[in-house]
Amino acid sequence: DAGVIQSPRHEVTEMGQEVTLRCKPISGHDYLFWYRQTMMRGLELLIYFNNNVPIDDSGMPEDRFSAKMPNASFSTLKIQPSEPRDSAVYFCASRGVNTEAFFGQGTRLTVV
Amino acid sequence: AQSVTQLDSQVPVFEEAPVELRCNYSSSVSVYLFWYVQYPNQGLQLLLKYLSGSTLVESINGFEAEFNKSQTSFHLRKPSVHISDTAEYFCAVRGTGFQKLVFGTGTRLLVSP
């Protein structure tokens, strides 16, 4: 397996634009997590899914953020409209029932 | 809820010296404990984990960590570091029966010649 795949690796966008981050989890993993990493706040869990169903989105900062998992092999994190304070590295991770979490390489988002 | 404290934001050390990165956790339930390593511009990679059984766990590249329930600690140690160990190290906890993995703020290990 190629591991957790995220795209794009880097994204630069202007304030107010919509941004979509993509994640392909490891095949067979039941859980998918979206994290955000910043210098100020470290690694924060934004939302996680179990069997494609959102279970806990309490970490989503505000309504501008939304996440979907239409099937077991794909998830998106969308920010609309984007703001400079959204600049961060966004990680996707997946986990099986009895495995540890495996992380993608991350998407570095810069909002100017 | 669970929480993790990594008191040292940065640990400078010379090559071949021993190192200890400290991690303390808080939880009202039993826990699983993890150390992840992050190299520059990379994702997080699992270094080692404690799930149950022996309280001393080891990684393939010489790191070890010991689960101490009474002190609620899971410190990471290596007897002799290499330049290539320079990275950020994150301690994480997950309560049994919970799905969230909660991370500490990370410790940057800087190994110099």
Side-chain angles (χ1 to χ4, degrees), chain A residues 35 37 56 95 100-101 105, chain B residues 36 42 49 99-101:
Chain A
Y35 284 86
Q37 184 179 35
D56 185 347
R95 179 170 70 83
E100 66 274 13
Q105 297 288 287
Chain B
Y36 281 82
Q42 298 287 318
K49 61 185 177 184
Q99 307 309 325
K100 289 184 179 182
L101 190 58

Side-chain angles (χ1 to χ4, degrees), chain A residues 12-80:
Chain A
V12 180
T13 190
E14 291 186 346
M15 182 174 62
Q17 296 298 305
E18 176 180 296
V19 176
T20 299
L21 312 181
R22 297 173 175 79
C23 175
K24 178 178 171 19
I26 292 173
S27 177
H29 281 186
D30 300 320
Y31 293 91
L32 184 139
F33 305 83
W34 282 101
Y35 284 86
R36 178 171 69 175
Q37 184 179 35
T38 61
M39 289 291 291
M40 292 296 295
R41 301 173 70 92
L43 276 158
E44 304 172 274
L45 178 64
L46 301 178
I47 184 171
Y48 80 90
F49 296 81
N50 179 214
N51 292 324
N52 314 338
V53 176
I55 302 300
D56 185 347
D57 65 354
S58 59
M60 297 285 261
E62 47 197 277
D63 292 346
R64 297 184 297 105
F65 286 69
S66 62
K68 294 182 180 180
M69 191 165 186
N71 57 62
S73 59
F74 184 65
S75 177
T76 60
L77 178 67
K78 186 177 293 186
I79 308 172
Q80 165 64 17

Side-chain angles (χ1 to χ4, degrees), chain B residues 83-108:
Chain B
I83 297 285
S84 59
D85 293 324
T86 294
E88 185 127 22
Y89 292 80
F90 292 91
C91 182
V93 64
R94 179 163 71 89
T96 57
F98 291 81
Q99 307 309 325
K100 289 184 179 182
L101 190 58
V102 177
F103 285 89
T105 50
T107 297
R108 186 173 299 277

Side-chain angles (χ1 to χ4, degrees), chain A residues 85-112:
Chain A
R85 61 193 168 119
D86 302 330
S87 296
V89 181
Y90 291 82
F91 287 104
C92 176
S94 70
R95 179 170 70 83
V97 173
N98 294 312
T99 72
E100 66 274 13
F102 292 83
F103 283 74
Q105 297 288 287
T107 295
R108 183 175 296 276
L109 173 66
T110 303
V111 183
V112 298

